[in-house]
Amino acid sequence: MKRPVNRVAAIHDLSGFGRTSLSVVIPILSTMGVQVCSLPTAVLSTHTGGFKEYSLVDLTDSMEGFISHWHKLGLEFDCIYSGFLGSARQIEIITGFINAFSGNSPLVVIDPVMGDNGKLYQTMDKEMVKNMKGFIKKGDVITPNYTEAAYLLDEKYSDRINEKTVKEWLIRLSEMGPRIVIITSVPEDESKNKTSVMAYDREDERFWKVSCVYIPAHFPGTGDCFTSVIVGSLLQGDSLPIALDRGVQFITAAIRASYGFKYPEREGILLERVLENLNIPVITSSYELLE
Ligand code: PXL
């Protein structure tokens, strides 16, 4: 029997303060009419970006017990969506989870959260990058930001890149396994005040781009918000370029809603002020199909 709403297994940490990971995944997907089943990887007092200290409870040893209970219940998921992970062991456990719950062919979305602005997050190292390279093979869709894409491909991070090179990166990442590759925060070569999201679907060999005006702010968790909107949108049956448009429009509105207030950026975007935008029909769209 078809379920009344789509169901996602969300494999992320829960950071108590700051708006990242499960704290944003759950409200965004719930607002988009998707049931979220959390498989928490860790619980933290805050996220790790912009806080020198944080308190962390690692849940790696509980994950297998959670998974086997879900297995016993005979649960099925329409999507398996993973984000911030802490260790090779977690990747191994989640790989097992994806294999065990593959029966109904869920959409596997992997956000290879590792770093931003050319640098790895403080909990990440070369070994995690190596493990992530293997793990993305399991994804149907991956959503690295520009920094993470460079790490996954062993490319140098530079604050300029041309479109042709990004297209090559998209193809190379897709050759590592995933059918759809979405790279966020790509600097635009010809304009310093623009960034873009670029994507490739190996099935129809089309490249897409959505440009956005660059705002000089770095709110942690925007990547988690973006990928959550992509997940919700694809599960609602949108095409890839419309999903990209919805993701970019939502993040742009959220940053604009936040930037005018003066508060510490590490607290994240003011999600609470824009969550309802997710239920507005798509009226304008700005995606481009690249030659
Ligand atoms: O937004 C990504 C993210 C998720 N979870 C934790 C983080 C970060 C980024 O800093 O620290 C714990």
Side-chain angles (χ1 to χ4, degrees):
M1 202 171 60
K2 180 141 175 35
R3 279 184 295 282
V5 295
N6 280 308
R7 182 187 288 159
V8 173
I11 313 170
H12 303 252
D13 68 279
L14 175 65
S15 291
F17 185 72
R19 298 173 179 88
T20 64
S21 40
L22 286 176
S23 300
V24 301
V25 172
I26 297 170
I28 288 175
L29 284 169
S30 299
T31 303
M32 296 180 85
V34 176
Q35 179 190 3
V36 181
C37 306
S38 300
L39 178 53
T41 55
V43 179
L44 292 85
S45 52
T46 66
H47 60 75
T48 66
F51 295 94
K52 285 204 192 80
E53 284 175 40
Y54 51 86
S55 174
L56 184 149
V57 180
D58 184 349
L59 295 178
T60 308
D61 292 338
S62 312
M63 289 173 69
E64 284 176 311
F66 283 34
I67 293 168
S68 68
H69 185 209
W70 285 1
H71 209 58
K72 257 194 231 150
L73 293 172
L75 296 186
E76 284 188 341
F77 299 97
D78 301 289
C79 174
I80 297 172
Y81 165 28
S82 78
F84 184 92
L85 304 175
S87 62
R89 175 85 188 111
Q90 285 190 347
I91 289 182
E92 206 179 301
I93 292 170
I94 299 162
T95 302
F97 175 72
I98 294 170
N99 292 340
F101 287 77
S102 63
N104 62 321
S105 307
L107 181 73
V108 178
V109 178
I110 296 177
D111 186 3
V113 176
M114 295 187 292
D116 206 357
N117 304 310
K119 287 194 251 104
L120 293 177
Y121 294 133
Q122 48 180 319
T123 57
M124 298 290 158
D125 57 19
K126 290 246 166 71
E127 195 55 28
M128 264 313 266
V129 176
K130 185 168 147 249
N131 297 326
M132 201 56 95
K133 285 181 190 168
F135 183 50
I136 59 168
K137 285 191 183 74
K138 302 298 292 179
D140 299 307
V141 180
I142 60 166
T143 59
N145 61 30
Y146 175 55
T147 301
E148 291 154 351
Y151 273 101
L152 289 170
L153 292 170
D154 292 317
E155 290 286 351
K156 253 217 173 99
Y157 176 91
S158 143
D159 49 14
R160 292 309 300 273
I161 188 164
N162 61 44
E163 210 169 273
K164 183 167 164 279
T165 310
V166 183
K167 282 163 91 177
E168 284 165 11
W169 284 24
L170 288 164
I171 293 176
R172 283 168 58 200
L173 285 166
S174 150
E175 282 169 353
M176 290 165 81
R179 188 190 114 189
I180 294 176
V181 178
I182 302 171
I183 306 182
T184 60
S185 307
V186 180
E188 286 212 2
D189 210 23
E190 68 290 359
S191 169
K192 263 215 150 99
N193 60 10
K194 275 194 164 175
T195 63
S196 61
V197 170
M198 286 179 59
Y200 174 64
D201 183 341
R202 193 178 59 222
E203 202 158 273
D204 59 17
E205 298 183 342
R206 289 196 289 181
F207 295 91
W208 304 98
K209 173 169 147 177
V210 181
S211 298
C212 29
V213 175
Y214 176 76
I215 297 179
H218 294 289
F219 295 100
T222 48
D224 299 339
C225 294
F226 175 83
T227 304
S228 301
V229 177
I230 296 291
V231 167
S233 183
L234 292 176
L235 289 177
Q236 286 179 355
D238 289 330
S239 66
L240 173 60
I242 289 293
L244 300 174
D245 246 326
R246 290 182 74 185
V248 169
Q249 284 178 19
F250 182 72
I251 298 303
T252 305
I255 292 177
R256 284 178 176 275
S258 308
Y259 192 60
F261 293 104
K262 194 128 184 68
Y263 69 96
E265 287 179 3
R266 67 186 189 179
E267 293 181 19
I269 49 172
L270 301 179
L271 186 65
E272 303 78 8
R273 287 192 170 264
V274 288
L275 209 47
E276 285 175 21
N277 291 7
L278 292 168
N279 287 322
I280 300 171
V282 180
I283 297 169
T284 57
S285 164
S286 64
Y287 67 74
E288 296 167 62
L289 173 66
L290 299 179
E291 289 301 311

